[in-house]
Amino acid sequence: MDRYAVFGYPVRHSKSPFIHTLFARQTQQLMEYTLAEPAPDGFAEALRNFFAEGGKGCNITVPFKEQAFALVDSLSPRARLAGAINTIKLTDDGLLLGDNTDGAGLVADLTSQGVSLAGCRILLLGAGGAARGALAPLLAEGPGRLVIANRTHDKAAQLAREFASLGPVEAVRYEDLLGPFDLVINSTSASLQGSLPPIPSSVIHSDIAVYDMMYGAEETPFNAWARAQGARKIMDGLGMLVQQAAEAFTIWRGIRPGTTQVLRELKRNLGVA
């Protein structure tokens, strides 16, 4: 039976084993998917041992994404742009290929929920690894405008410069944000701390779509705030989690699993309405 795993620290909360077990059952793939939680200074050795002992592929989550980027033999173009990887595949010739499926997962989830990105005016909050991973896939959809806002403006400006050749991307300070926007994506981890990015409430209107990459059994603080400002279409990152996992599964197994029923089962597992 082929072995896969997710590496993280901590990682016991991960829903990846649940998701990939359902994918394997659905597609009749003989594989097992487990958790790997090495100490932060033991990741490189644990990764080498996993593949030396017959591992076929793995997912990488915090805090190992950047470290893993430097440990693989080759990178997909989207992983190189993202500067981090979340998926590794052992190729037929014994090399480790690093990929990043986060941005593809985000785009797939937005599309599945009826958000048209072509010509869309997008506000992306945050300029960390999650934002970097999302930028190229979002720009590939042909948005009309993509604005990055971040607490440290210089970081947003640097990101905009790096991706300028891929589409209409710019950096704007939070206090200078002016709409209209069709979609706001929160890539910051503020919701994990129960806080909010300093976005002006004037940006939110009744026709805007709001997406928080975070998720939980309860509505995230950012989404609850957006709802209170009058936003009607509100989404969290649970669908992105399933879609990026489906992308990774496809890289490993060469077959695309369905996501609708798996997302439904995951929501039931989390107690989400």
Side-chain angles (χ1 to χ4, degrees):
M1 184 176 290
D2 291 341
R3 293 178 53 220
Y4 297 85
V6 56
F7 284 80
Y9 186 88
V11 79
R12 280 162 288 180
H13 65 283
S14 174
K15 296 300 178 184
S16 292
F18 181 87
I19 294 168
H20 284 286
T21 297
L22 292 180
F23 283 162
R25 190 179 305 157
Q26 176 198 124
T27 57
Q28 299 181 317
Q29 298 291 295
L30 287 175
M31 55 181 282
E32 65 171 1
Y33 189 107
T34 57
L35 299 172
E37 193 177 76
D41 61 354
F43 169 66
E45 182 181 4
L47 188 70
R48 281 194 298 269
N49 289 341
F50 173 75
F51 284 104
E53 294 165 5
K56 296 293 186 182
C58 63
N59 288 128
I60 309 293
T61 187
V62 291
F64 299 132
K65 288 186 179 184
E66 286 77 15
Q67 196 176 341
F69 185 86
L71 294 173
V72 295
D73 299 304
S74 60
L75 296 162
S76 71
R78 62 188 177 186
R80 195 177 300 280
L81 279 169
I85 62 175
N86 74 337
T87 302
I88 299 176
K89 175 184 179 178
L90 181 67
T91 65
D92 292 341
D93 50 5
L95 300 177
L96 297 183
L97 169 66
D99 208 335
N100 190 309
T101 67
D102 284 333
L106 170 65
V107 168
D109 189 35
L110 286 166
T111 302
S112 74
Q113 298 196 62
V115 178
S116 176
L117 294 171
C120 186
R121 295 164 296 187
I122 303 171
L123 171 58
L124 178 62
L125 307 178
R132 176 179 283 276
L135 272 169
L138 285 171
L139 289 168
E141 297 297 308
R145 182 189 188 204
L146 197 158
V147 171
I148 308 169
N150 188 59
R151 287 183 187 271
T152 306
H153 178 70
D154 288 350
K155 195 172 179 182
Q158 175 61 31
L159 208 53
R161 284 192 293 271
E162 285 185 45
F163 286 83
S165 64
L166 301 183
V169 58
E170 61 185 298
V172 176
R173 298 179 190 276
Y174 273 113
E175 60 268 27
D176 296 329
L177 284 173
L178 289 173
F181 295 103
D182 305 302
L183 171 65
V184 178
I185 301 171
N186 180 24
S187 79
T188 76
S189 59
S191 286
L192 295 179
Q193 287 85 47
S195 59
L196 295 169
I199 173 177
S201 58
S202 59
V203 167
I204 305 299
H205 54 84
S206 60
D207 292 328
I208 204 166
V210 174
Y211 193 104
D212 193 342
M213 288 189 187
M214 301 297 110
Y215 63 88
E218 304 294 329
E219 189 168 55
T220 69
F222 182 76
N223 282 355
W225 172 83
R227 189 182 300 279
Q229 308 310 311
R232 290 180 189 166
K233 188 170 187 64
I234 295 174
M235 302 159 280
D236 68 14
L238 201 57
M240 175 181 172
L241 175 69
V242 174
Q243 295 287 357
Q244 66 81 21
E247 184 79 5
F249 190 93
T250 306
I251 291 166
W252 295 329
R253 309 301 295 182
I255 183 171
R256 184 90 186 182
T259 55
T260 302
Q261 183 61 31
V262 173
L263 180 57
R264 190 177 300 127
E265 291 293 330
L266 181 58
K267 286 181 176 180
R268 187 177 299 131
N269 178 262
L270 288 170
V272 177

